Amino acid sequence: MQLVTEDNITELAARRWSSAHDPRTAELMSALVRHLHAFAREVRLSETEWMAAMRWLTETGQISDEKREEFILASDVLGLSMLVVQMNHAFDAKATPATVLGPFHIDGSPEKEFGGDMSDGLPGAPLYITGTVTGLDGSPVGGAVLDVWQADEEGAYESQIPGIDEARLRAKYTTRADGSYCLRTIAPKGYSIPMDGPVGELIGGTDISHYRPAHVHFLINAAGYEPLITHLFQEGAEYLDSDVVFGTKQELVVAFEPREPGPTPDGGHSDGPWIEARYDFVLQPA
């Protein structure tokens, strides 16, 4: 019989988990055991604190559903999401950098034509985002699909609004043969992450800002290229230097230029003032 002590429990547990049939699982789990035990030893974790952590994890799971990913939010605010992004998407310096997916992406967004309005009449300043999608060598990438989503003027995504099941402020656009794209939406605003759950409760006990700067999400897929998950942030927006999920990058900050009534980038005409943002995405070859 192996007698368990504070000195040998870590090695016993790590050795046991290293028996996993999949080699990578064995590596991950034995390392996880070692790091968890090291954390507990470093802070001299009390039983009360351990139980509080178990309850927090339970509540995080209970509040999560197909529309709310509280564990992803927890990963985001701890900086883990961005660390994993950085390690797994070491793109060429000329490529558009990746950032976090966030907890509000939903599959199955409707397809829109060049310049199509994904705001569908929601209140807000009209915003046209235009540009091109190219490879590292500057060659246009036709047929690239831009999956786009954002929050409304109140900082809410559709999944946060009770009774909203249809697509809201999200759409898919396909680049033309010359790599060009054009989408219409409303100007985004900075917003608070959800503060009514376990993550918000944890943040609320700190001096950490719980706000994100104004941004629009993009997930770009094109044959022969690495998928790109990224944002475009409004230049001069609040919270650029304190993004609660650590997602801001200088290369993704874009000027939102006010325009007078007149022709719009989609070939149409606006009777009122509107805003234009231009960004050329550069994809990393697969």
Side-chain angles (χ1 to χ4, degrees):
M1 178 182 295
Q2 174 68 64
L3 297 178
V4 176
T5 68
E6 183 178 333
D7 293 330
N8 69 11
I9 178 63
T10 300
E11 184 56 39
L12 289 173
R15 188 187 312 152
R16 186 171 294 178
W17 277 102
S18 68
S19 70
H21 301 162
D22 175 66
R24 179 60 172 166
T25 301
E27 179 185 6
L28 291 172
M29 292 306 299
S30 58
L32 177 62
V33 166
R34 295 183 192 280
H35 285 281
L36 280 176
H37 286 214
F39 165 76
R41 286 190 171 91
E42 179 183 338
V43 301
R44 299 306 301 173
L45 192 67
S46 72
E47 290 179 311
T48 301
E49 291 163 340
W50 174 84
M51 181 55 73
M54 296 305 102
R55 288 175 177 161
W56 188 89
L57 290 169
T58 300
E59 292 168 3
T60 300
Q62 289 171 337
I63 203 172
S64 299
D65 56 27
E66 69 277 2
K67 288 189 174 182
R68 178 167 183 164
E69 296 281 3
E70 193 78 359
F71 275 113
I72 292 180
L73 183 61
S75 174
D76 288 350
V77 302
L78 290 171
L80 179 61
S81 299
M82 271 305 298
L83 174 60
V84 173
V85 166
Q86 300 281 55
M87 292 191 301
N88 286 272
H89 300 281
F91 293 160
D92 187 282
K94 292 185 292 185
T96 300
T99 188
V100 293
L101 177 67
F104 297 114
H105 177 259
I106 299 176
D107 291 326
S109 293
E111 296 182 0
K112 294 282 187 181
E113 72 282 0
F114 186 88
D117 185 2
M118 75 178 201
S119 68
D120 292 324
L122 287 173
L127 168 66
Y128 287 86
I129 304 178
T130 66
T132 61
V133 177
T134 69
L136 295 178
D137 61 357
S139 58
V141 180
V145 177
L146 288 72
D147 190 348
V148 188
W149 69 102
Q150 69 173 85
D152 63 18
E153 275 207 317
E154 303 300 321
Y157 292 84
E158 62 182 7
S159 60
Q160 297 174 288
I161 304 174
I164 298 293
D165 291 322
E166 69 274 9
R168 188 175 188 270
L169 283 172
R170 63 184 178 94
K172 289 182 178 179
Y173 299 86
T174 302
T175 57
R176 293 174 166 179
D178 63 356
S180 63
Y181 72 91
C182 176
L183 66 94
R184 179 179 171 178
T185 181
I186 56 174
K189 294 187 177 180
Y191 61 82
S192 169
I193 61 170
M195 293 293 288
D196 59 344
V199 173
E201 182 181 2
L202 198 61
I203 291 282
T206 74
D207 291 332
I208 298 171
S209 168
H210 50 90
Y211 285 90
R212 298 217 62 205
H215 64 276
V216 178
H217 292 265
F218 288 82
L219 168 56
I220 304 176
N221 282 285
Y225 295 89
E226 292 286 344
L228 174 64
I229 297 170
T230 196
H231 302 5
L232 293 184
F233 297 92
Q234 181 180 0
E235 184 179 78
E238 290 186 277
Y239 317 117
L240 285 173
D241 295 329
S242 60
D243 183 1
V244 66
V245 306
F246 306 95
T248 310
K249 294 187 176 183
Q250 184 59 48
E251 301 94 325
L252 302 174
V253 177
V254 182
F256 282 26
E257 302 284 356
R259 304 295 187 214
E260 296 297 324
T264 52
D266 61 343
H269 184 278
S270 176
D271 294 330
W274 52 283
I275 301 169
E276 182 175 17
R278 181 173 179 83
Y279 192 85
D280 296 328
F281 294 98
V282 181
L283 302 184
Q284 177 80 20

